[in-house]
Amino acid sequence: MITKNVEKILNEQIEKEGYSSNLYLSMASWAETEGYAGISKWLYAQAEEELLHMMKFVHFINERSGHAIIPAFKQPPAKFEGIKKLFDQVLEHEEYITKSINDIVALAIKENDFASHNWLQWFVTEQVEEEASVHEIIDKLNLLGEGNMYLFDRDIMSLRGASE
Ligand code: FEO
């Protein structure tokens, strides 16, 4: 059993994970049309991962006798102002998601919901990994400079996500 407050905040996370998936899907589609095969592959893989995150929340809420509500999703931007800015946006978005996971953990503790707290630890670890992998990409981009996108587009294929 989950409390009404925990059910509500978990449902809000369904929307955030689903929006993340759509945002990365939109970024992937844009990158593909711009000719960035490696970058789009990485972003498509991220979009699929976020969809799985959303599904985890749906199943968890229902398993705990709540009701997962599938929301409408805001349309993500369709155009982006270059690769460096795009990855800055990814990082900013992941930091926002990390904060929202932390807020859920804090509420679960406040409501003595230790089962949810325990389950959420997977997401806590996942956010550390996601932020680290985006930092790694931004570091590489800073090293290469905007003029060397061809090399970067090849290089990203070997990173977590795109190589799977
Ligand atoms: Fe599901 Fe990237 O947070």
Side-chain angles (χ1 to χ4, degrees):
M1 218 21 221
I2 41 177
T3 64
K4 282 288 154 206
N5 287 337
V6 171
E7 182 178 0
K8 181 170 177 287
I9 203 169
L10 290 173
N11 261 302
E12 286 165 6
Q13 194 64 23
I14 291 178
E15 192 278 330
K16 290 177 185 169
E17 300 290 347
Y19 179 77
S20 304
S21 180
N22 287 344
L23 175 63
Y24 298 153
L25 191 56
S26 183
M27 287 176 167
S29 176
W30 173 82
E32 192 168 42
T33 61
E34 294 288 314
Y36 296 112
I39 293 165
S40 68
K41 199 170 171 220
W42 188 90
L43 288 162
Y44 279 125
Q46 288 304 116
E48 278 182 20
E49 262 195 41
E50 298 300 350
L51 196 59
L52 288 176
H53 294 175
M54 184 185 80
M55 296 294 283
K56 278 179 186 275
F57 277 94
V58 169
H59 291 311
F60 182 71
I61 293 167
N62 289 343
E63 271 166 19
R64 305 278 324 277
S65 306
H67 183 187
I69 309 288
I70 310 310
F73 298 103
K74 190 175 76 188
Q75 184 172 3
K79 294 218 164 92
F80 300 89
E81 294 164 41
I83 297 302
K84 175 68 171 63
K85 274 208 176 150
L86 181 145
F87 280 104
D88 286 342
Q89 258 178 282
V90 172
L91 181 61
E92 196 181 311
H93 187 73
E94 286 305 324
E95 286 170 348
Y96 160 74
I97 296 294
T98 299
K99 188 187 171 306
S100 77
I101 296 289
N102 289 343
D103 289 345
I104 306 174
V105 171
L107 183 70
I109 292 170
K110 187 166 162 250
E111 306 245 331
N112 282 348
D113 183 350
F114 299 113
S116 291
H117 175 265
N118 192 39
W119 181 79
L120 286 159
Q121 295 314 301
W122 184 89
F123 283 94
V124 172
T125 306
E126 178 70 9
Q127 284 311 118
V128 172
E129 284 174 13
E130 292 208 341
E131 282 191 29
S133 84
V134 184
H135 274 294
E136 189 185 346
I137 287 170
I138 290 173
D139 286 347
K140 278 175 187 283
L141 278 171
N142 286 337
L143 276 174
L144 283 165
E146 290 271 352
N148 233 329
M149 277 305 142
Y150 179 80
L151 278 182
F152 176 76
D153 192 54
R154 289 291 157 280
D155 193 52
I156 196 174
M157 289 206 188
S158 62
L159 295 183
R160 173 186 184 252
S163 62
E164 283 148 21

